[in-house]
Amino acid sequence: MPADPHLPVAHLRPPRNWINDPNGLAFHDGHYHVCFQYNPYGSEHAHMHWGHFRSPDLLTWEELPLALTPTPGGEDADGCFSGNAVSDGDRMVAFYSAFRSDRWAQQVTTAESRDNGVTWTPRGSLLIPELPEDATMYRDPYVWREGGGWRMLVGSAFADGRAAALLYESADLEQWEYKGPFLDGTPQPVAPDADTGLGWECPQYLHADGRGALLLSAWDPELGPRRTVVYPGREQDGRFLAGAPALLDHGPDFYAPALLPAPDGRWLLWGWSWEARDPQWVREAGWAGLLTLPREVTLAEDGSVRQRPAAELLALRGARAVTAAGVTAGTAVLGTVGASFDLTARLERVGGLRLVTSADGSEYLDIRFDPAAGELVVDRDHAALDPRAQGGTYRVPCPEASVELRLVVDRSVAELYLPSGRTLTLRFYPTGGAPWRIEARAGDEGGLGYTVSAWNLRPHTVRSLADAGAGLTDAGPVGP
């Protein structure tokens, strides 16, 4: 068992140090490649490199050497920031934001791998040195193949207050023509506490059969990263005709999602879930951030984006820990689970589930169904007895008369999925050791009907890089 009880066992991240945005997602040479922003030297946002894992099956992961490293004195001297990667024949090409502290723009540069992602050669110069007129932000390329050519979006903002996703096109991945804003707009509200932002980071384009959705991470010049929004719509004449924006994830701890088109036609997505605890605690722990579970994302007939855990993750279910069904007018204890588990539930009428993580019952995470309000409420105000953890109550629309849900908890992260495709991701930090207790609790209006199943999660397997020169060694599963 790792010394830190909050370190996840089924979510992708290195055993220590800082990570943030998923980057460089591609399927190449029979493997899913997942890179991410990574500080190899500590648990704070600094010295940005690209860490790198690959997997043949989304269950068994192999750590590769660092994909991208800043070049002293080069265009990326102060950091290899976010972007993506494509598979092009026998090579992989990474597109990323070249960060220097002496300029405001993070212009696009590239690196190439011809040994299936083990080593990368940076181009050493900017791919697109010119900036659009009146741009005040420029970062995070997203490149995809379309027809016989290539297209790219770059996150941006303009001096007049518009956020933008800028469109480029190329025949060869080398010469790029600027086509103008693919989508732009001033901030619009998407929730009582969120809008679409003054700038857009990490643009991603989910598209199929003439329809599409733009995934955009809302950024504020004073407040920094905020929430992730999605615009449904379709393309016409090089512009994206967007419908009303919505939150992509209704939780507080989800940002910068990235897409990977899988060879079987699925779209997969990973997001960054940041810490929700005091920075001093993070420094003591020696690690920060994790990638969400891989999600399958689809476009519904109404244009909304639906998310669910990748089907492969069912293989991580171990022994069934809880099987319970009934009606309670008060509190029913359903059983116990480990600190990492996968739960499904059907709830009828007012009430919900409580995950009790302390022996005296004073520490708990609540999930409440309120059909009158048409929402599911997740309350973490009592989810950690340690005052350095953040609280808060978060809501996801749920207009049905009953609710079915899937909840995956992995030590310090909870991912909630609804049949509508809506999700809610948050972090919490229990102080009580597992096993934890699952309770069904009725609301004030009467009895709660419930059907609940839960399985303890097996950890995914990670083959770690022992040291820079030793090659790959099998470290076996991480955690119990």
Side-chain angles (χ1 to χ4, degrees):
M1 186 173 188
D4 188 335
H6 300 120
L7 190 67
V9 301
H11 284 70
L12 199 57
R13 63 149 293 118
R16 61 189 64 84
N17 299 325
W18 168 283
I19 76 165
N20 56 292
D21 306 1
N23 295 149
L25 305 189
F27 189 85
H28 182 82
D29 189 43
H31 287 82
Y32 299 94
H33 290 260
V34 176
C35 299
F36 49 91
Q37 293 283 279
Y38 178 54
N39 176 6
Y41 309 117
S43 58
E44 65 283 337
H45 183 274
H47 313 295
M48 286 294 100
H49 296 56
W50 278 25
H52 190 181
F53 288 100
R54 70 180 177 188
S55 171
D57 57 9
L58 302 180
L59 299 170
T60 302
W61 293 91
E62 180 179 46
E63 184 182 12
L64 295 183
L66 292 173
L68 303 181
T69 300
T71 303
E75 298 288 355
D76 59 4
D78 297 309
C80 301
F81 277 22
S82 289
N84 83 323
V86 298
S87 175
D88 180 36
D90 63 352
R91 65 175 183 157
M92 296 176 69
V93 184
F95 296 79
Y96 66 100
S97 304
F99 176 59
R100 289 184 61 111
S101 59
D102 58 2
R103 66 183 180 216
W104 64 267
Q106 299 169 21
Q107 282 132 298
V108 181
T109 187
T110 67
E112 180 178 303
S113 174
R114 291 187 177 270
D115 57 5
N116 303 320
V118 177
T119 61
W120 296 78
T121 302
R123 74 185 295 118
S125 61
L126 295 178
L127 180 68
I128 304 174
E130 303 84 11
L131 296 169
E133 188 176 356
D134 295 329
T136 57
M137 169 183 166
Y138 192 90
R139 64 187 71 157
D140 307 339
Y142 173 72
V143 176
W144 72 98
R145 188 193 304 267
E146 189 166 318
W150 300 87
R151 308 180 85 193
M152 176 195 296
L153 295 178
V154 178
S156 189
F158 289 115
D160 61 6
R162 288 176 296 146
L166 308 178
L167 178 64
Y168 293 80
E169 294 184 346
S170 172
D172 58 4
L173 294 179
E174 284 294 324
Q175 302 299 318
W176 291 87
E177 181 182 1
Y178 177 51
K179 296 294 186 177
F182 192 54
L183 180 68
D184 58 6
T186 54
Q188 293 178 256
V190 289
D193 62 343
D195 62 32
T196 57
L198 288 166
W200 288 336
E201 297 189 296
C202 305
Q204 305 280 305
Y205 187 29
L206 174 70
H207 55 282
D209 302 324
R211 299 179 301 125
L214 272 180
L215 283 53
L216 302 162
S217 293
W219 182 82
D220 184 278
E222 294 184 1
L223 300 174
R226 308 304 294 156
R227 302 286 281 279
T228 301
V229 299
V230 56
Y231 284 87
R234 60 185 177 86
E235 183 179 347
Q236 181 175 305
D237 300 327
R239 292 275 294 181
F240 189 72
L241 305 181
L247 287 175
L248 182 66
D249 187 283
H250 293 264
D253 304 318
F254 177 92
Y255 195 73
L259 293 169
L260 188 158
D264 58 8
R266 289 181 300 171
W267 288 89
L268 299 176
L269 176 147
W270 283 258
W272 165 39
S273 189
W274 49 45
E275 297 300 312
R277 52 180 169 169
D278 182 88
Q280 179 57 38
W281 193 358
V282 171
R283 286 190 289 271
E284 293 169 3
W287 64 275
L290 54 86
L291 300 187
T292 65
L293 297 173
R295 302 175 179 182
E296 298 175 10
V297 290
T298 56
L299 284 170
E301 287 298 322
D302 63 1
S304 63
V305 170
R306 296 184 174 181
Q307 304 174 69
R308 64 183 181 185
E312 288 89 338
L313 300 181
L314 291 173
L316 294 181
R317 287 180 175 177
R320 187 188 291 258
V322 174
T323 303
V327 177
T328 181
T331 298
V333 176
L334 309 185
T336 61
V337 291
S340 297
F341 63 89
D342 187 348
L343 176 148
T344 61
R346 178 181 175 87
L347 305 176
E348 298 177 348
R349 300 186 293 276
V350 179
L353 300 177
R354 175 171 289 185
L355 173 64
V356 182
T357 55
S358 68
D360 64 1
S362 63
E363 183 180 79
Y364 54 86
L365 180 72
D366 266 347
I367 299 173
R368 298 190 296 268
F369 178 44
D370 186 347
E375 60 188 18
L376 199 67
V377 181
V378 182
D379 181 348
R380 67 176 180 190
D381 277 340
H382 302 277
L385 294 177
D386 192 315
R388 298 175 296 174
Q390 295 175 18
T393 299
Y394 304 92
R395 293 169 166 81
V396 55
C398 187
E400 295 79 13
S402 61
V403 62
E404 295 182 5
L405 62 88
R406 184 172 174 187
L407 176 68
V408 182
V409 169
D410 190 7
R411 297 194 168 188
S412 65
V413 59
E415 296 188 40
L416 177 71
Y417 298 86
L418 298 182
S420 63
R422 296 184 177 100
T423 61
L424 189 153
T425 304
L426 58 70
R427 305 293 306 280
F428 72 117
Y429 305 90
T431 63
W436 296 333
R437 188 166 73 247
I438 302 290
E439 297 178 351
R441 301 174 68 88
D444 296 335
E445 291 79 4
L448 170 73
Y450 60 86
T451 303
V452 177
S453 297
W455 298 260
N456 287 321
L457 277 182
R458 300 186 182 99
H460 59 203
T461 299
V462 179
R463 298 180 64 209
S464 301
L465 200 64
D467 57 61
L472 297 171
T473 59
D474 191 352
V478 179

